[in-house]
Amino acid sequence: MLDLKEKLAHGMFLFCACICIICVALICIFLFANGIPAIKEIGLFDFLFGVNWAPLDEEFGIFPMIIGSIYVTAGAIFFGVIFGVLCAIFLSKFCPLYLNKILNPIIHLMAGIPSIVYGFFGLVVIVPLVQYYFGTSGKGILSASLLLGIMILPTIISISKTAIDSVPTNYYEGALALGITHERSVFFILLPAAKSGILTSIILGIGRAIGETMAVVMIAGNQAIIPQSILDGTRTLTANIVLEMGYATDLHRNALLGTAVVLFVFILMINISFSLICRRKS
């Protein structure tokens, strides 16, 4: 009877895993089947490195959007990773118990807030602040980076905290037995032991930052030009797709699907790079 239950559970999990793999495969086939012909027709070099995006003139260069995505994602990593990892360390090893019980539910709540709500927050709080202090329109790379940095915080904090909590306590106790202080034990013993989990949290955070659309559309400025400073407006790859897919037809529509292909390859390269780094370090 026990064997039958185990076989049924094994079959159910295998079925669910196969469904997930098939869904990913179908998405890949749809994207590449529609996007690659458009990239061929436009020309790979003109598509990737062209600086003009003018669908009415059939000019489809996505280089400004690639640069915009890189700038916004890099800014989000700068703000989100530093504060996220430090917050995870505080919650795991330095936070009083009563404060931990208050902060943990708040962080979990942040993960469930819809991106459109974050977009409104950026529109009414971050954009006016940037506008006041820098004298610009407020919509641009800096505002989008700050907002995305806030949005990836729950992912980085939760996974990093779990990774730090999972380190065996004898690591910490052994360090204290050797006369090392609490702070040095945390930063030089526990953190290196939890680095694979922390890197995983950063990868997932980057994935959310790159793939985020609605909040970025609301505060990034959406200008299809190469930005000259972090205060300039920009348009990301995701924003380019969502802004024009509603009315695009023929080559214009397929060029947007080609943009999705570039975004897909972009995320794939980041995940593979981090996996190789983790494997080499382990």
Side-chain angles (χ1 to χ4, degrees):
M1 190 66 184
L2 186 62
D3 290 342
L4 180 62
K5 286 183 178 178
E6 288 181 352
K7 286 179 181 177
L8 284 173
H10 180 268
M12 185 181 69
F13 291 135
L14 181 63
F15 175 75
C16 293
C18 290
I19 291 293
C20 294
I21 294 170
I22 290 171
C23 289
V24 174
L26 288 175
I27 291 171
C28 292
I29 291 170
F30 170 77
L31 279 180
F32 284 89
N34 290 279
I36 295 297
I39 295 174
K40 281 184 179 177
E41 186 174 343
I42 297 166
L44 181 62
F45 186 84
D46 292 336
F47 186 68
L48 292 179
F49 299 104
V51 295
N52 294 320
W53 179 266
L56 293 177
D57 299 328
E58 295 201 343
E59 293 185 7
F60 300 102
I62 62 168
F63 191 65
M65 278 70 87
I66 293 175
I67 295 296
S69 296
I70 292 173
Y71 281 178
V72 170
T73 304
I77 294 169
F78 177 77
F79 293 117
V81 171
I82 294 174
F83 287 103
V85 174
L86 290 178
C87 185
I89 295 170
F90 173 73
L91 288 174
S92 179
K93 298 299 175 187
F94 295 96
C95 184
L97 185 59
Y98 75 92
L99 191 58
N100 208 325
K101 289 180 180 178
I102 298 172
L103 291 178
N104 263 321
I106 293 174
I107 291 166
H108 293 153
L109 180 65
M110 284 178 66
I113 296 174
S115 60
I116 192 75
V117 176
Y118 278 108
F120 276 117
F121 169 76
L123 205 58
V124 299
V125 176
I126 297 177
V127 169
L129 283 176
V130 174
Q131 193 175 15
Y132 176 78
Y133 284 106
F134 296 97
T136 63
S137 66
K139 294 184 177 180
I141 295 173
L142 181 60
S143 300
S145 299
L146 284 170
L147 184 62
L148 283 179
I150 294 171
M151 291 179 71
I152 66 175
L153 278 178
T155 304
I156 294 176
I157 293 172
S158 300
I159 299 176
S160 296
K161 182 179 180 300
T162 303
I164 296 170
D165 290 340
S166 301
V167 177
T169 53
N170 55 2
Y171 282 41
Y172 174 73
E173 292 169 353
L176 291 182
L178 292 173
I180 303 175
T181 61
H182 173 65
E183 290 77 12
R184 292 181 69 84
S185 300
V186 170
F187 282 95
F188 294 102
I189 303 296
L190 297 185
L191 274 189
K195 64 184 176 185
S196 62
I198 294 173
L199 277 175
T200 301
S201 74
I202 296 172
I203 293 169
L204 293 175
I206 292 173
R208 174 160 194 192
I210 293 176
E212 181 52 47
T213 308
M214 290 310 299
V216 175
V217 167
M218 293 173 75
I219 65 170
N222 304 316
Q223 300 169 21
I225 56 173
I226 297 177
Q228 302 299 317
S229 78
I230 61 171
L231 298 175
D232 289 347
T234 189
R235 180 186 289 191
T236 61
L237 291 168
T238 52
N240 190 47
I241 297 169
V242 77
L243 285 172
E244 300 185 8
M245 186 55 84
Y247 60 86
T249 57
D250 303 328
L251 183 60
H252 183 194
R253 178 180 178 276
N254 289 336
L256 293 176
L257 290 171
T259 306
V261 171
V262 173
L263 181 64
F264 183 84
V265 173
F266 197 45
I267 294 174
L268 199 63
M269 287 171 62
I270 291 173
N271 287 337
I272 292 173
S273 301
F274 272 101
S275 298
L276 291 175
I277 291 171
C278 292
R279 190 174 298 175
R280 181 173 293 180
K281 286 185 176 179
S282 64

